[in-house]
Amino acid sequence: MNIKEVAAYAKVSVATVSRVLNDDPSVAPKTSEAVRKAIAETGYVRSALGRNLRRAQSDVVLVVLPNMNNPFYADIVEGIDSRCKDYGLSAMACNTYGSYEKLKYFCDFIEKRQARGVIIVSAPWKRDYSFLEGLPVVGCCESREDMPCAQVDIDNIQAGYDATKYLISLGAKRIALIGGGEISPSNIKREQGYRLAMRDAGYPIDESLVVNNCYNYEQGSAVAKRILNASPDALFAASDEIAVSFINAAQDMGISIPDELKIFGFDNVHYSTFVKPKLSTIDQPRYEMGVQSVDQLMRVLEGKKARTVMCQYKLIRRGSTEKGVL
């Protein structure tokens, strides 16, 4: 019998069982009584080693990432690390390679008192996150309704809407969308924003110009020729990496940017200014999102109510959509 099974038996969170075991006075008497009854009936016994480990207080915050090689995450981790130092904590990055089981493994460090809390960056899509209930965990990016924890993100629907509306304001009518949604919450929301903007402008959407589940340069390059041969007058990519693949493909095909094709990205990663023309994009405040994630984690650790924070993004105009704009 382990603590998770005791929690399930008592119909409370793992964190609540842990607080009862540690004689935390903040637990309601009725709840404490139910947990102690469950402990007695299940025969759960903590080892002396376990008690000693739980009495120790870790100063580590785990930052769980799906892919450390993605440059998008660098500024988020920097913001987390900087803010953790303000609180006397240390940030430790962990790579899940997109594995849900590895994410659960790292979250178990909280129960083992090997981590004060966990910040999950871009959690895997369509998984059961009920195990997070009551734990000091914050989600950063890819916010969703089924994660029972504080979350930090931007309004991806509005950002998708604003990006598309901007392209429309430049005269675009046949706007391609590359990297729309099916398995990524943020991409699903950006596609929703794109569709709303096209609807509000009264422009039909050519579904052959909408490509879902396209996430990197190689995948963008694989569909670029087909999309560009369909002659869109603008393209909204769900990431800068995809947008850069289309800039290169368009130039290889002799398509003039931005005269014949306007290209807009998302994220404002560092290489968005390395291409010619420089890439127009949505700037996600990644460093601020990292800082806010730590602040929200501290709220949880202090017993305050968890809440979702929406950070402010910026629309960056550059040469890939307008001539004469740097």
Side-chain angles (χ1 to χ4, degrees):
M1 179 63 63
N2 59 42
I3 194 169
K4 288 184 178 179
E5 292 170 316
V6 173
Y9 188 91
K11 297 181 180 179
V12 297
S13 69
V14 170
T16 297
V17 176
S18 180
R19 286 196 289 269
V20 171
L21 289 170
N22 288 292
D23 298 318
D24 189 331
S26 68
V27 181
K30 186 176 180 180
T31 302
S32 180
E33 181 182 353
V35 171
R36 294 189 186 283
K37 181 179 179 182
I39 291 171
E41 292 179 357
T42 58
Y44 172 74
V45 178
R46 284 195 300 173
S47 67
L49 174 60
R51 285 196 300 273
N52 290 335
L53 282 172
R54 285 160 176 79
R55 285 171 181 164
Q57 186 69 54
S58 172
D59 65 353
V60 173
V61 172
L62 296 186
V63 185
V64 181
L65 305 161
N67 181 0
M68 290 185 186
N69 294 327
N70 190 329
F72 173 80
Y73 299 127
D75 289 337
I76 293 176
V77 174
E78 184 179 352
I80 291 172
D81 182 61
S82 176
R83 194 59 166 157
C84 277
K85 289 176 182 175
D86 292 339
Y87 288 111
L89 302 172
S90 299
M92 181 180 295
C94 307
N95 202 342
T96 67
Y97 302 97
S99 167
Y100 173 69
E101 293 304 321
K102 283 200 171 191
L103 185 151
K104 292 181 70 176
Y105 167 77
F106 288 126
C107 287
D108 280 343
F109 279 43
I110 298 172
E111 166 58 23
K112 297 172 183 175
R113 288 294 174 93
Q114 294 171 337
R116 185 79 67 88
V118 173
I119 296 174
I120 304 173
V121 182
S122 298
W125 179 227
K126 292 187 178 179
R127 296 292 190 272
D128 179 10
Y129 288 104
S130 59
F131 72 93
L132 296 178
E133 184 72 45
L135 294 180
V137 173
V138 172
C140 181
C141 306
E142 305 289 355
S143 60
R144 64 201 72 191
E145 293 74 16
D146 60 346
M147 286 185 70
C149 63
Q151 299 184 67
V152 177
D153 205 351
I154 66 168
D155 186 338
N156 281 286
I157 295 177
Q158 188 62 49
Y161 185 95
D162 289 347
T164 308
K165 185 178 178 180
Y166 164 66
L167 292 171
I168 292 170
S169 75
L170 298 175
K173 295 182 179 180
R174 278 179 53 79
I175 303 176
L177 173 71
I178 312 299
E182 274 187 17
I183 62 173
S184 164
S186 62
N187 284 8
I188 289 171
K189 293 172 183 177
R190 291 167 198 172
E191 180 177 345
Q192 289 174 358
Y194 157 82
R195 291 183 179 276
L196 286 170
M198 293 291 282
R199 181 202 66 187
D200 289 351
Y203 295 151
I205 296 174
D206 182 344
E207 296 296 339
S208 70
L209 296 178
V210 177
V211 179
N212 288 327
N213 303 327
C214 181
Y215 295 105
N216 55 41
Y217 186 95
E218 291 73 19
Q219 291 173 335
S221 297
V223 299
K225 188 174 182 179
R226 174 178 69 82
I227 295 297
L228 296 177
N229 278 333
S231 301
D233 52 19
L235 183 141
F236 172 33
S239 74
D240 290 342
E241 189 172 355
I242 299 169
V244 169
S245 73
F246 270 83
I247 286 178
N248 291 337
Q251 291 173 339
D252 288 344
M253 296 172 65
I255 299 172
S256 176
I257 303 171
D259 294 331
E260 297 176 272
L261 177 68
K262 305 178 192 307
I263 297 181
F264 193 95
F266 208 105
D267 293 335
N268 196 31
V269 295
H270 65 281
Y271 55 73
S272 63
T273 59
F274 294 172
V275 291
K276 290 186 179 181
K278 295 179 181 179
L279 181 64
S280 296
T281 186
I282 292 289
D283 176 38
Q284 290 206 66
R286 298 184 298 283
Y287 184 91
E288 180 191 349
M289 292 166 75
V291 169
Q292 285 286 345
S293 295
V294 179
D295 286 346
Q296 291 310 305
L297 180 62
M298 291 306 299
R299 282 180 60 86
V300 176
L301 290 171
E302 292 167 1
K304 298 176 182 177
K305 187 177 181 180
R307 61 190 178 96
T308 291
V309 174
M310 289 293 176
C311 297
Q312 295 299 311
Y313 59 86
K314 295 179 182 178
L315 191 151
I316 307 296
R317 298 163 50 214
R318 296 191 181 116
S320 68
T321 53
E322 297 182 63
K323 270 192 172 180
V325 179
L326 298 179

